[in-house]
Amino acid sequence: MGEREATCWEPAPGRVVLAERGVGGYRQYRIPALAATATTTLCAFDGRHDFDDLPAPIDLLLRRSSDSGATWEEPKVVRRGTGHEGFGDPSLLADPATGRVFLFHSATERAGFFESGDGEDPADPMLQHADVSVSEDEGRTWRHERLTAPLRHSGNAVLDCERIAGMFAAAGAGCAITAGPHAGRLVQVYVLRIGGRIDVACAVSDDHGRSWRLGRPIGHGREAAPVELNESSVCMLADGSLLLHSRGPGHRLETRSRDGGETFGPVTAARDLPDSGTNGSVLAPAAGPELYASHTAGPDLRRGAQISRSDDRGHTWSAVRVLEPGSAGYTRLAELPDGRIGVVYEADGYQEIRFEAYAREELVDPRRPPRGAPVPAGATGWARASAGGVVVDLVLRSILPARPASPHEWSGTEPVHVIDLSEFAGIGAAVFKEVGRAPGAGDLQVLRTRAALDRNLGPARPGIGAGDLVLVHGRAWNGTGHPLRVTWDGRSRDLEPGECWVRRDLSHRVGTGDLSAGRVRFATEIATAAARARPVLEVPRAPRGR
């Protein structure tokens, strides 16, 4: 695909924005899940009172469509807590045999994935709990169950002198096995923290969701791997075996199971699926032999959401549709009731959750742009410039709501809970949770109640406001065949051919001048001995659709 084609990229004409930051009473929406029954399409996602990942006061929301995504009901709250309670990171699974829908999610009070203890008490506030909401009427009503004890107990039973601490259902969707010796089994991937490492295992049910147990963690008992599995998606192949894709550094990771998700084989890199280390998905449509994968294909930075296709059981892949060349996050595919392929994804610095749908005949032609191609017109949250063979990308990562400058300026008497993030200093930034704080702002995360956040942050509003903090991630890539000395805003580094320099410490505090101009202009400067460039990332005050 040439530069001219990449530059002429256009967004899908049937795109629907399912959630927009600041609209509908929440300051942030994140983590979309997507699934369909025979007649209804369901999309679940987090409704956040602040920016933070769990533990935080997050509500679990759902939208339904009865026409394969052409129109959608208004969001409804599936679960809302009190105080510090939060319910988030949804994953949907529809059982084709019963029509029952499962909405897996995490429930937290004082501890999330990294802080959780390793007990099995379903009432312990210092555990990250595994919950599932169950619907018998295609998402109209729900009942809630806690799976903490059975999943932790069955998972701990296969470990040697270790125990599961943090655990959560990998956001997106589960899988129903409909062929082979395990036909009728339901499968949901869980991410685990065991002895300081991150691992993955599948929860399985052989009685249509009445009981669940955890399979063997994939990394358990193996020699230390150079990379760890993380948020994953699983699909059933034609013979009833399973293909699992995980987010990974540089490329998606894959592994296969022939015993219904109890155990998995070797973990390898899917070299045809570039990945920025972001949650994606893999899908096997019921009516066709092809497979589809969704992922963010921009190296190191969360951008370039796309759909890829495989016609050989997932051994090779070709990019077939760019969803958003610019800033993008989590993606999820599902087969819709009308047979089309639906996808939900985060875009524009998490400002939007979008839905698009494609007929299968639209997902056939390779559409991957070349490395270093110009930014296409219409791409959101992305700027690119070149300086002497170095390609520089700036990507909008997120927007943090304005807040009191110090803890002493917060009003109210609601209780707070403080987490010392310095305890997790050894965990890489690419896999650690996202917390609403400025770069270099300290090592404490303060959990506040919904009431305290609403009082001190003011009403939720769309777009960018004074005092908001715009976070930007940047990447410089040496595209030459020789080493280069690169200077970036006064810092210098030597880059070998093909080497990258990634920065996650770039930010801009929104001022009145930005609001008057109608946009934030974030500029940085990069230079080599031969050239100098000043890429500028422009973020409109209001999303482009407004």
Side-chain angles (χ1 to χ4, degrees):
M1 181 177 181
E3 289 190 6
R4 182 173 179 273
E5 293 175 286
T7 307
C8 294
W9 170 87
E10 293 183 357
R15 174 186 292 174
V16 178
V17 176
L18 294 179
E20 180 184 325
R21 176 182 178 270
V23 176
Y26 294 92
R27 296 176 184 84
Q28 184 70 59
Y29 298 96
R30 280 218 60 202
I31 322 295
L34 186 69
T37 67
T39 61
T40 304
T41 306
L42 303 101
C43 180
F45 46 88
D46 289 5
R48 302 187 175 189
H49 292 264
D50 198 358
F51 175 80
D52 295 2
D53 289 342
L54 290 169
I58 295 174
D59 298 339
L60 189 59
L61 308 181
L62 180 82
R63 297 192 72 169
R64 300 171 68 252
S65 172
S66 58
D67 52 14
S68 292
T71 61
W72 294 80
E73 296 177 2
E74 290 300 311
K76 295 182 179 179
V77 177
V78 177
R79 296 197 76 178
R80 174 184 286 130
T82 59
H84 297 124
E85 283 183 317
F87 304 100
D89 292 343
S91 181
L92 285 161
L93 171 56
D95 184 351
T98 65
R100 188 174 294 134
V101 179
F102 300 88
L103 176 49
F104 298 89
H105 55 279
S106 287
T108 67
E109 187 172 345
R110 296 185 180 182
F113 182 69
F114 294 98
E115 305 87 13
S116 177
D118 61 5
E120 298 177 5
D121 182 356
D124 187 347
M126 296 307 297
L127 292 185
Q128 182 184 33
H129 291 287
D131 284 11
V132 62
S133 299
V134 184
S135 176
E136 308 283 354
D137 54 10
E138 299 188 313
R140 294 180 181 87
T141 61
W142 299 87
R143 68 176 188 273
H144 313 299
E145 302 174 5
R146 179 146 291 180
L147 303 179
T148 297
L151 291 185
R152 286 177 176 267
H153 183 74
S154 56
N156 286 331
V158 303
L159 298 176
D160 303 319
C161 302
E162 293 181 313
R163 293 176 64 84
I164 296 170
M167 68 177 303
F168 66 94
C175 170
I177 300 178
T178 58
H182 300 284
R185 173 173 288 183
L186 304 178
V187 181
Q188 169 62 48
V189 182
Y190 273 79
V191 185
L192 314 174
R193 188 169 60 84
I194 306 171
R197 73 178 189 277
I198 298 176
D199 208 337
V200 164
C202 286
V204 300
S205 173
D206 291 315
D207 54 13
H208 300 288
R210 287 186 290 274
S211 64
W212 295 86
R213 57 186 172 83
L214 202 63
R216 186 180 184 86
I218 294 175
H220 179 65
R222 305 188 187 196
E223 295 183 3
V227 294
E228 296 175 330
L229 296 174
N230 203 299
E231 290 171 308
S232 303
S233 174
V234 66
C235 72
M236 185 198 76
L237 303 180
D239 61 357
S241 63
L242 298 179
L243 171 64
L244 181 144
H245 277 189
S246 169
R247 59 187 274 185
H251 297 86
R252 304 289 289 168
L253 303 174
E254 69 169 35
T255 181
R256 298 171 188 251
S257 172
R258 297 192 176 279
D259 57 8
E262 302 274 3
T263 63
F264 283 81
V267 177
T268 59
R271 295 295 178 186
D272 295 334
L273 298 176
D275 187 28
S276 60
T278 308
N279 194 15
S281 68
V282 61
L283 174 70
E290 76 275 16
L291 305 178
Y292 298 99
S294 64
H295 52 115
T296 50
D300 303 306
L301 306 180
R302 287 191 172 179
R303 71 162 191 85
Q306 70 180 35
I307 299 174
S308 294
R309 171 177 171 145
S310 173
D311 292 297
D312 58 4
R313 293 170 49 88
H315 296 291
T316 61
W317 298 84
S318 296
V320 292
R321 173 67 198 187
V322 175
L323 303 169
E324 169 56 68
S327 172
Y330 286 19
T331 62
R332 177 64 216 180
L333 295 163
E335 185 176 13
L336 303 178
D338 65 4
R340 293 182 301 160
I341 304 301
V343 59
V344 289
Y345 62 98
E346 301 170 324
D348 202 9
Y350 307 140
Q351 291 191 88
E352 294 180 338
I353 293 177
R354 301 171 180 169
F355 169 84
E356 298 174 13
Y358 298 93
R360 294 183 189 182
E361 55 267 25
E362 296 180 274
L363 300 176
V364 291
D365 297 324
R367 295 175 181 269
R368 182 179 298 171
R371 196 170 191 180
V375 175
T380 57
W382 177 30
R384 169 173 283 175
S386 297
V390 174
V391 178
V392 186
D393 288 303
L394 299 178
V395 171
L396 174 63
R397 179 62 177 228
S398 56
I399 302 169
L400 308 184
R403 64 197 59 234
S406 73
H408 304 291
E409 297 179 26
W410 286 75
S411 65
T413 59
E414 292 88 356
V416 299
H417 178 69
V418 179
I419 298 173
D420 185 357
L421 299 179
S422 66
E423 298 178 11
F424 313 103
I427 299 173
V431 299
F432 195 57
K433 64 182 178 179
E434 296 200 60
V435 179
R437 58 192 177 122
D443 294 322
L444 298 181
Q445 178 187 1
V446 180
L447 304 187
R448 302 185 186 275
T449 66
R450 290 163 172 77
L453 291 170
D454 290 343
R455 182 187 311 108
N456 288 275
L457 301 187
R461 47 174 169 67
I464 298 173
D468 288 353
L469 188 67
V470 176
L471 298 184
V472 177
H473 286 186
R475 174 180 177 271
W477 168 59
N478 180 1
T480 73
H482 54 273
L484 287 175
R485 181 74 169 176
V486 178
T487 301
W488 191 345
D489 287 343
R491 302 184 188 180
S492 295
R493 181 176 294 186
D494 294 320
L495 296 183
E496 295 297 319
E499 187 179 1
C500 298
W501 178 2
V502 178
R503 291 187 60 177
R504 297 183 172 91
D505 60 343
L506 307 174
S507 64
H508 175 84
R509 183 73 67 181
V510 179
T512 55
D514 299 311
L515 301 182
S516 299
R519 64 180 56 83
V520 169
R521 297 183 81 253
F522 176 84
T524 188
E525 186 170 275
I526 197 158
T528 65
R532 183 181 304 270
R534 187 175 173 81
V536 177
L537 175 65
E538 292 196 353
V539 183
R541 178 179 179 180
R544 297 194 180 197
R546 287 186 165 263

